[in-house]
Amino acid sequence: MTMVRAGVVPTQRAALYSVLGILATVVMAAAIVGLFGVNRVFTGLLVGAIAGVAVMAALFTRDAILLTEQAIYRRTPWTVSSIDWDRVVAGRFTLDDRARWSLALDLSGGDEQHGELVLLSIPPVLRPVSGAYDLRKREQVNEIRALLRHKRIPVTVLPEIAGALQQHWQIAPPTR
């Protein structure tokens, strides 16, 4: 078993990353215009947009939860912290406060908010896999489920979620 990548970027951090991307766009555009004159506004905007997208992509890519054989690593662009597997009490696949399906781990002790670590948050599955997003989320659910089964961590799945996953994504419900 290798590494499984998961994680949900909180709204506040997503807003920060977006602001940093816009800031990179503005700074690069202003630098190009400042160096080469007003006739290079569109060039500056293009270079700035590329820089802004690159900054946001780097920040969002770095912000993740990595599930490995040894531990769970929570990464942000500036920090990395680890959580030992023996702190994981159970897993849950339930509805979150925004009516999305949330796959979370319940943790014992530590300083995590409410003792949980959200691995996935996806819209309800209403039809078979129809695109790259659905396919990637289906793969993540299968990878996380396989790792949790390997680690012998019990996972509770709401019956309507288990039924939809089985019907539309052909993911069998947990056996225990």
Side-chain angles (χ1 to χ4, degrees):
M1 179 79 42
T2 59
M3 175 175 49
V4 178
R5 183 179 166 85
V8 177
V9 178
T11 306
Q12 288 180 330
R13 275 205 312 258
L16 173 66
Y17 299 164
S18 299
V19 167
L20 291 174
I22 291 168
L23 185 62
T25 300
V26 170
V27 166
M28 286 300 293
I32 296 289
V33 170
L35 287 172
F36 300 106
V38 179
N39 293 334
R40 295 290 177 213
V41 168
F42 292 111
T43 304
L45 288 174
L46 178 64
V47 170
I50 292 169
V53 168
V55 165
M56 287 192 332
L59 292 171
F60 277 103
T61 300
R62 177 76 178 144
D63 197 316
I65 295 172
L66 302 174
L67 307 169
T68 67
E69 190 69 31
Q70 297 76 27
I72 302 168
Y73 298 96
R74 185 186 342 200
R75 292 187 338 186
T76 65
W78 300 278
T79 63
V80 175
S81 61
S82 68
I83 300 168
D84 292 328
W85 278 107
D86 59 355
R87 287 194 44 215
V88 178
V89 177
R92 297 181 272 116
F93 211 155
T94 59
L95 290 171
D96 65 12
D97 55 348
R98 298 181 334 198
R100 293 173 59 93
W101 292 0
S102 178
L103 178 56
L105 298 177
D106 294 325
L107 305 172
S108 64
D111 58 354
E112 283 73 23
Q113 183 181 21
H114 307 297
E116 77 172 10
L117 183 63
V118 178
L119 302 178
L120 285 178
S121 179
I122 61 175
V125 174
L126 304 173
R127 61 187 154 280
V129 173
S130 61
Y133 177 82
D134 287 349
L135 184 61
R136 178 63 191 134
K137 291 306 171 188
R138 179 177 176 230
E139 287 174 1
Q140 276 186 309
V141 169
N142 278 327
E143 290 170 350
I144 292 169
R145 183 174 165 214
L147 183 59
L148 294 178
R149 185 181 307 124
H150 175 71
K151 290 291 187 178
R152 299 185 186 277
I153 296 171
V155 178
T156 304
V157 182
L158 286 179
E160 58 267 20
I161 293 175
L165 287 174
Q166 184 173 13
Q167 178 184 358
H168 300 301
W169 283 4
Q170 287 73 46
I171 296 177
T175 55
R176 48 181 167 153

